[in-house]
Short mmCIF file of all heavy atoms in Angstrom, two decimals:
data_model
loop_
_atom_site.label_atom_id
_atom_site.label_comp_id
_atom_site.label_asym_id
_atom_site.label_seq_id
_atom_site.Cartn_x
_atom_site.Cartn_y
_atom_site.Cartn_z
N GLY X 28 -7.45 10.57 -4.28
CA GLY X 28 -7.26 9.68 -5.40
C GLY X 28 -6.03 8.80 -5.31
O GLY X 28 -5.85 7.90 -6.13
N THR X 29 -5.15 9.05 -4.33
CA THR X 29 -3.96 8.22 -4.22
C THR X 29 -4.33 6.80 -3.82
O THR X 29 -3.79 5.82 -4.35
CB THR X 29 -2.99 8.81 -3.18
OG1 THR X 29 -2.63 10.14 -3.59
CG2 THR X 29 -1.73 7.96 -3.07
N PHE X 30 -5.23 6.67 -2.86
CA PHE X 30 -5.72 5.37 -2.41
C PHE X 30 -7.24 5.32 -2.58
O PHE X 30 -7.91 6.35 -2.49
CB PHE X 30 -5.37 5.12 -0.93
CG PHE X 30 -3.91 4.87 -0.67
CD1 PHE X 30 -3.04 5.92 -0.45
CD2 PHE X 30 -3.41 3.58 -0.64
CE1 PHE X 30 -1.70 5.70 -0.21
CE2 PHE X 30 -2.07 3.34 -0.39
CZ PHE X 30 -1.22 4.40 -0.17
N PRO X 31 -7.80 4.14 -2.82
CA PRO X 31 -9.25 4.02 -2.96
C PRO X 31 -9.96 4.29 -1.64
O PRO X 31 -9.43 4.04 -0.56
CB PRO X 31 -9.47 2.57 -3.42
CG PRO X 31 -8.24 1.85 -2.97
CD PRO X 31 -7.12 2.84 -3.04
N SER X 32 -11.16 4.81 -1.74
CA SER X 32 -11.96 5.10 -0.56
C SER X 32 -12.60 3.82 -0.03
O SER X 32 -12.63 2.78 -0.70
CB SER X 32 -13.06 6.11 -0.89
OG SER X 32 -13.99 5.54 -1.81
N LYS X 33 -13.15 3.91 1.16
CA LYS X 33 -13.88 2.79 1.74
C LYS X 33 -15.06 2.40 0.86
O LYS X 33 -15.33 1.22 0.64
CB LYS X 33 -14.36 3.14 3.15
CG LYS X 33 -15.22 2.05 3.79
CD LYS X 33 -15.79 2.52 5.12
CE LYS X 33 -16.79 1.51 5.67
NZ LYS X 33 -17.40 1.99 6.93
N GLU X 34 -15.77 3.41 0.33
CA GLU X 34 -16.92 3.13 -0.52
C GLU X 34 -16.52 2.39 -1.77
O GLU X 34 -17.24 1.50 -2.24
CB GLU X 34 -17.63 4.44 -0.88
CG GLU X 34 -18.38 5.08 0.27
CD GLU X 34 -17.46 5.90 1.17
OE1 GLU X 34 -16.25 5.96 0.90
OE2 GLU X 34 -17.96 6.46 2.17
N ALA X 35 -15.36 2.74 -2.36
CA ALA X 35 -14.88 2.04 -3.55
C ALA X 35 -14.56 0.59 -3.24
O ALA X 35 -14.84 -0.31 -4.04
CB ALA X 35 -13.64 2.75 -4.11
N LEU X 36 -13.99 0.33 -2.07
CA LEU X 36 -13.68 -1.05 -1.67
C LEU X 36 -14.96 -1.85 -1.45
O LEU X 36 -15.03 -3.03 -1.79
CB LEU X 36 -12.84 -1.04 -0.38
CG LEU X 36 -11.47 -0.36 -0.45
CD1 LEU X 36 -10.80 -0.39 0.91
CD2 LEU X 36 -10.59 -1.01 -1.50
N GLN X 37 -15.96 -1.22 -0.89
CA GLN X 37 -17.21 -1.90 -0.61
C GLN X 37 -17.95 -2.32 -1.88
O GLN X 37 -18.73 -3.27 -1.85
CB GLN X 37 -18.12 -1.02 0.25
CG GLN X 37 -17.66 -0.83 1.67
CD GLN X 37 -18.48 0.19 2.43
OE1 GLN X 37 -18.85 1.24 1.89
NE2 GLN X 37 -18.79 -0.11 3.68
N ARG X 38 -17.72 -1.63 -2.97
CA ARG X 38 -18.41 -1.94 -4.21
C ARG X 38 -17.86 -3.18 -4.90
O ARG X 38 -18.48 -3.71 -5.82
CB ARG X 38 -18.35 -0.74 -5.17
CG ARG X 38 -19.23 0.42 -4.76
CD ARG X 38 -19.40 1.40 -5.92
NE ARG X 38 -18.15 2.08 -6.24
CZ ARG X 38 -17.82 3.29 -5.78
NH1 ARG X 38 -18.63 3.93 -4.95
NH2 ARG X 38 -16.69 3.86 -6.15
N LEU X 39 -16.69 -3.64 -4.47
CA LEU X 39 -16.05 -4.78 -5.11
C LEU X 39 -16.56 -6.10 -4.54
O LEU X 39 -16.93 -6.18 -3.37
CB LEU X 39 -14.53 -4.70 -4.94
CG LEU X 39 -13.83 -3.47 -5.54
CD1 LEU X 39 -12.35 -3.52 -5.20
CD2 LEU X 39 -14.05 -3.39 -7.03
N SER X 40 -16.53 -7.14 -5.36
CA SER X 40 -16.78 -8.48 -4.84
C SER X 40 -15.58 -8.87 -3.98
O SER X 40 -14.53 -8.21 -3.99
CB SER X 40 -16.95 -9.48 -5.98
OG SER X 40 -15.71 -9.71 -6.63
N ARG X 41 -15.72 -9.95 -3.25
CA ARG X 41 -14.63 -10.34 -2.34
C ARG X 41 -13.36 -10.72 -3.10
O ARG X 41 -12.25 -10.35 -2.69
CB ARG X 41 -15.11 -11.48 -1.43
CG ARG X 41 -16.26 -11.03 -0.54
CD ARG X 41 -16.59 -12.03 0.55
NE ARG X 41 -17.63 -11.46 1.44
CZ ARG X 41 -17.98 -11.99 2.59
NH1 ARG X 41 -17.43 -13.12 2.99
NH2 ARG X 41 -18.90 -11.42 3.34
N GLN X 42 -13.51 -11.47 -4.18
CA GLN X 42 -12.34 -11.81 -4.97
C GLN X 42 -11.70 -10.56 -5.56
O GLN X 42 -10.46 -10.43 -5.57
CB GLN X 42 -12.73 -12.78 -6.11
CG GLN X 42 -12.92 -14.23 -5.65
CD GLN X 42 -11.58 -14.92 -5.43
OE1 GLN X 42 -10.51 -14.31 -5.50
NE2 GLN X 42 -11.63 -16.21 -5.13
N GLU X 43 -12.50 -9.65 -6.05
CA GLU X 43 -11.97 -8.40 -6.62
C GLU X 43 -11.25 -7.59 -5.56
O GLU X 43 -10.19 -7.01 -5.82
CB GLU X 43 -13.11 -7.58 -7.22
CG GLU X 43 -13.69 -8.16 -8.49
CD GLU X 43 -14.94 -7.42 -8.95
OE1 GLU X 43 -15.57 -6.74 -8.11
OE2 GLU X 43 -15.29 -7.53 -10.13
N LEU X 44 -11.82 -7.54 -4.38
CA LEU X 44 -11.19 -6.76 -3.31
C LEU X 44 -9.83 -7.32 -2.95
O LEU X 44 -8.85 -6.58 -2.80
CB LEU X 44 -12.09 -6.74 -2.08
CG LEU X 44 -11.49 -6.06 -0.84
CD1 LEU X 44 -11.23 -4.58 -1.11
CD2 LEU X 44 -12.39 -6.22 0.37
N LEU X 45 -9.73 -8.64 -2.83
CA LEU X 45 -8.45 -9.24 -2.45
C LEU X 45 -7.40 -9.02 -3.53
O LEU X 45 -6.23 -8.75 -3.22
CB LEU X 45 -8.64 -10.74 -2.19
CG LEU X 45 -9.53 -11.09 -0.98
CD1 LEU X 45 -9.68 -12.60 -0.85
CD2 LEU X 45 -8.98 -10.50 0.31
N ARG X 46 -7.80 -9.11 -4.79
CA ARG X 46 -6.84 -8.84 -5.87
C ARG X 46 -6.41 -7.38 -5.87
O ARG X 46 -5.23 -7.06 -6.09
CB ARG X 46 -7.45 -9.22 -7.23
CG ARG X 46 -7.61 -10.70 -7.45
CD ARG X 46 -7.82 -11.01 -8.93
NE ARG X 46 -9.00 -10.33 -9.45
CZ ARG X 46 -10.23 -10.82 -9.42
NH1 ARG X 46 -10.45 -12.01 -8.86
NH2 ARG X 46 -11.25 -10.15 -9.93
N ALA X 47 -7.37 -6.48 -5.62
CA ALA X 47 -7.03 -5.05 -5.57
C ALA X 47 -6.09 -4.75 -4.41
O ALA X 47 -5.15 -3.95 -4.55
CB ALA X 47 -8.31 -4.22 -5.45
N LEU X 48 -6.33 -5.37 -3.25
CA LEU X 48 -5.46 -5.17 -2.10
C LEU X 48 -4.04 -5.64 -2.41
O LEU X 48 -3.06 -4.97 -2.06
CB LEU X 48 -6.00 -5.93 -0.89
CG LEU X 48 -7.21 -5.33 -0.16
CD1 LEU X 48 -7.63 -6.25 0.98
CD2 LEU X 48 -6.90 -3.95 0.36
N ASN X 49 -3.93 -6.78 -3.04
CA ASN X 49 -2.62 -7.32 -3.37
C ASN X 49 -1.86 -6.37 -4.28
O ASN X 49 -0.67 -6.09 -4.07
CB ASN X 49 -2.78 -8.69 -4.04
CG ASN X 49 -1.46 -9.41 -4.21
OD1 ASN X 49 -0.78 -9.74 -3.25
ND2 ASN X 49 -1.08 -9.65 -5.45
N THR X 50 -2.55 -5.84 -5.28
CA THR X 50 -1.91 -4.89 -6.20
C THR X 50 -1.53 -3.60 -5.48
O THR X 50 -0.42 -3.07 -5.66
CB THR X 50 -2.87 -4.56 -7.36
OG1 THR X 50 -3.17 -5.78 -8.07
CG2 THR X 50 -2.24 -3.57 -8.33
N MET X 51 -2.45 -3.08 -4.65
CA MET X 51 -2.19 -1.83 -3.94
C MET X 51 -1.00 -1.96 -3.00
O MET X 51 -0.14 -1.05 -2.92
CB MET X 51 -3.44 -1.44 -3.15
CG MET X 51 -3.45 -0.03 -2.62
SD MET X 51 -3.66 1.19 -3.92
CE MET X 51 -2.28 2.26 -3.57
N LEU X 52 -0.92 -3.06 -2.29
CA LEU X 52 0.18 -3.25 -1.34
C LEU X 52 1.51 -3.45 -2.06
O LEU X 52 2.56 -3.13 -1.50
CB LEU X 52 -0.13 -4.44 -0.42
CG LEU X 52 -1.30 -4.19 0.55
CD1 LEU X 52 -1.60 -5.45 1.36
CD2 LEU X 52 -1.00 -3.02 1.48
N ASP X 53 1.49 -3.97 -3.28
CA ASP X 53 2.71 -4.03 -4.07
C ASP X 53 3.22 -2.61 -4.35
O ASP X 53 4.43 -2.34 -4.28
CB ASP X 53 2.46 -4.76 -5.39
CG ASP X 53 2.46 -6.28 -5.22
OD1 ASP X 53 3.04 -6.76 -4.23
OD2 ASP X 53 1.88 -6.97 -6.09
N HIS X 54 2.30 -1.70 -4.66
CA HIS X 54 2.68 -0.30 -4.87
C HIS X 54 3.25 0.31 -3.59
O HIS X 54 4.22 1.08 -3.63
CB HIS X 54 1.48 0.51 -5.33
CG HIS X 54 1.08 0.26 -6.76
ND1 HIS X 54 1.90 0.53 -7.82
CD2 HIS X 54 -0.08 -0.21 -7.29
CE1 HIS X 54 1.30 0.23 -8.95
NE2 HIS X 54 0.08 -0.23 -8.66
N VAL X 55 2.65 -0.03 -2.45
CA VAL X 55 3.12 0.51 -1.18
C VAL X 55 4.55 0.03 -0.90
O VAL X 55 5.42 0.81 -0.50
CB VAL X 55 2.19 0.10 -0.02
CG1 VAL X 55 2.78 0.52 1.33
CG2 VAL X 55 0.81 0.74 -0.21
N LEU X 56 4.81 -1.25 -1.12
CA LEU X 56 6.15 -1.80 -0.91
C LEU X 56 7.16 -1.08 -1.80
O LEU X 56 8.27 -0.74 -1.35
CB LEU X 56 6.16 -3.30 -1.20
CG LEU X 56 5.50 -4.19 -0.15
CD1 LEU X 56 5.42 -5.63 -0.66
CD2 LEU X 56 6.27 -4.15 1.16
N HIS X 57 6.79 -0.85 -3.05
CA HIS X 57 7.69 -0.15 -3.97
C HIS X 57 7.98 1.26 -3.47
O HIS X 57 9.13 1.74 -3.51
CB HIS X 57 7.06 -0.12 -5.36
CG HIS X 57 7.89 0.61 -6.38
ND1 HIS X 57 9.04 0.08 -6.94
CD2 HIS X 57 7.75 1.86 -6.92
CE1 HIS X 57 9.57 0.96 -7.78
NE2 HIS X 57 8.80 2.04 -7.80
N ARG X 58 6.96 1.95 -3.00
CA ARG X 58 7.13 3.32 -2.52
C ARG X 58 7.96 3.37 -1.24
O ARG X 58 8.76 4.29 -1.04
CB ARG X 58 5.76 3.96 -2.28
CG ARG X 58 5.84 5.45 -1.96
CD ARG X 58 6.44 6.23 -3.14
NE ARG X 58 6.77 7.59 -2.75
CZ ARG X 58 5.90 8.59 -2.71
NH1 ARG X 58 4.63 8.37 -3.05
NH2 ARG X 58 6.28 9.80 -2.35
N LEU X 59 7.77 2.38 -0.37
CA LEU X 59 8.56 2.36 0.87
C LEU X 59 10.05 2.20 0.57
O LEU X 59 10.89 2.78 1.26
CB LEU X 59 8.08 1.24 1.78
CG LEU X 59 6.71 1.44 2.45
CD1 LEU X 59 6.39 0.24 3.35
CD2 LEU X 59 6.67 2.73 3.26
N MET X 60 10.38 1.43 -0.44
CA MET X 60 11.78 1.28 -0.82
C MET X 60 12.35 2.61 -1.29
O MET X 60 13.51 2.93 -1.03
CB MET X 60 11.91 0.20 -1.91
CG MET X 60 11.73 -1.22 -1.38
SD MET X 60 12.12 -2.51 -2.59
CE MET X 60 10.74 -2.32 -3.72
N ALA X 61 11.54 3.40 -1.99
CA ALA X 61 12.00 4.71 -2.43
C ALA X 61 12.15 5.67 -1.25
O ALA X 61 13.09 6.47 -1.20
CB ALA X 61 11.01 5.29 -3.46
N LEU X 62 11.22 5.59 -0.28
CA LEU X 62 11.29 6.47 0.88
C LEU X 62 12.53 6.21 1.73
O LEU X 62 13.03 7.11 2.40
CB LEU X 62 10.04 6.30 1.74
CG LEU X 62 8.73 6.87 1.20
CD1 LEU X 62 7.59 6.60 2.17
CD2 LEU X 62 8.86 8.37 0.93
N GLN X 63 13.01 4.98 1.72
CA GLN X 63 14.18 4.65 2.54
C GLN X 63 15.41 5.47 2.16
O GLN X 63 16.31 5.66 2.98
CB GLN X 63 14.50 3.15 2.41
CG GLN X 63 13.55 2.26 3.19
CD GLN X 63 13.90 0.80 3.07
OE1 GLN X 63 14.01 0.26 1.98
NE2 GLN X 63 14.08 0.14 4.20
N GLN X 64 15.45 5.96 0.94
CA GLN X 64 16.61 6.74 0.50
C GLN X 64 16.72 8.07 1.24
O GLN X 64 17.79 8.67 1.30
CB GLN X 64 16.51 6.99 -1.01
CG GLN X 64 16.48 5.71 -1.83
CD GLN X 64 16.29 5.98 -3.31
OE1 GLN X 64 16.31 7.13 -3.76
NE2 GLN X 64 16.11 4.93 -4.09
N ASP X 65 15.60 8.55 1.79
CA ASP X 65 15.60 9.83 2.49
C ASP X 65 15.63 9.67 4.00
O ASP X 65 15.47 10.65 4.74
CB ASP X 65 14.36 10.65 2.11
CG ASP X 65 14.38 11.07 0.65
OD1 ASP X 65 15.49 11.32 0.13
OD2 ASP X 65 13.30 11.14 0.03
N ILE X 66 15.82 8.44 4.49
CA ILE X 66 15.81 8.19 5.93
C ILE X 66 17.24 7.93 6.39
O ILE X 66 17.84 6.91 6.04
CB ILE X 66 14.91 6.99 6.27
CG1 ILE X 66 13.46 7.31 5.83
CG2 ILE X 66 14.96 6.67 7.75
CD1 ILE X 66 12.49 6.17 6.07
N PRO X 67 17.82 8.83 7.18
CA PRO X 67 19.24 8.71 7.55
C PRO X 67 19.52 7.76 8.71
O PRO X 67 20.57 7.11 8.74
CB PRO X 67 19.62 10.15 7.92
CG PRO X 67 18.33 10.74 8.43
CD PRO X 67 17.22 10.09 7.66
N LYS X 68 18.61 7.69 9.69
CA LYS X 68 18.90 6.94 10.90
C LYS X 68 18.59 5.45 10.75
O LYS X 68 17.58 5.08 10.17
CB LYS X 68 18.09 7.51 12.07
CG LYS X 68 18.45 8.95 12.43
CD LYS X 68 17.65 9.42 13.64
CE LYS X 68 18.01 10.85 14.01
NZ LYS X 68 17.22 11.34 15.18
N ALA X 69 19.49 4.63 11.30
CA ALA X 69 19.31 3.18 11.21
C ALA X 69 18.03 2.72 11.90
O ALA X 69 17.35 1.81 11.44
CB ALA X 69 20.53 2.47 11.82
N GLN X 70 17.70 3.38 13.02
CA GLN X 70 16.49 2.99 13.76
C GLN X 70 15.24 3.24 12.93
O GLN X 70 14.32 2.42 12.91
CB GLN X 70 16.41 3.77 15.06
CG GLN X 70 15.18 3.41 15.91
CD GLN X 70 15.13 4.22 17.19
OE1 GLN X 70 16.09 4.89 17.54
NE2 GLN X 70 14.01 4.14 17.90
N ASP X 71 15.20 4.36 12.20
CA ASP X 71 14.05 4.66 11.36
C ASP X 71 14.01 3.74 10.15
O ASP X 71 12.93 3.37 9.67
CB ASP X 71 14.09 6.12 10.92
CG ASP X 71 13.93 7.07 12.09
OD1 ASP X 71 13.15 6.76 13.01
OD2 ASP X 71 14.61 8.11 12.11
N LEU X 72 15.17 3.36 9.63
CA LEU X 72 15.22 2.40 8.53
C LEU X 72 14.65 1.06 8.98
O LEU X 72 13.95 0.38 8.22
CB LEU X 72 16.65 2.23 8.03
CG LEU X 72 17.21 3.36 7.17
CD1 LEU X 72 18.69 3.14 6.90
CD2 LEU X 72 16.44 3.46 5.85
N GLU X 73 14.94 0.67 10.21
CA GLU X 73 14.43 -0.58 10.75
C GLU X 73 12.91 -0.53 10.86
O GLU X 73 12.23 -1.54 10.64
CB GLU X 73 15.06 -0.86 12.11
CG GLU X 73 14.61 -2.18 12.75
CD GLU X 73 14.96 -3.39 11.91
OE1 GLU X 73 15.94 -3.32 11.14
OE2 GLU X 73 14.24 -4.40 12.01
N THR X 74 12.38 0.64 11.20
CA THR X 74 10.92 0.79 11.26
C THR X 74 10.29 0.52 9.90
O THR X 74 9.28 -0.18 9.80
CB THR X 74 10.56 2.22 11.72
OG1 THR X 74 11.07 2.44 13.03
CG2 THR X 74 9.05 2.42 11.73
#
């Protein structure tokens, strides 16, 4: 339930899918910023 399944994506129209992807990736960006707080090495932060 954290991310939508392939079947859920397939049920959407193309416009709906693109809007959903945009929203989902905004959540991913937000979460990655939070994860950076637990990453000590500069090389891993760069990743």
Side-chain angles (χ1 to χ4, degrees):
T29 302
F30 289 87
S32 66
K33 176 186 173 183
E34 288 82 1
L36 298 178
Q37 290 172 320
R38 288 194 293 264
L39 299 177
S40 71
R41 296 191 175 191
Q42 282 283 6
E43 289 172 339
L44 175 63
L45 294 178
R46 289 197 301 273
L48 284 178
N49 189 62
T50 300
M51 193 71 232
L52 292 176
D53 280 338
H54 286 299
V55 173
L56 286 172
H57 178 75
R58 187 63 192 277
L59 288 181
M60 287 188 289
L62 288 180
Q63 284 181 305
Q64 300 176 7
D65 294 327
I66 299 178
K68 296 183 180 179
Q70 181 181 349
D71 295 322
L72 284 173
E73 181 61 27
T74 298

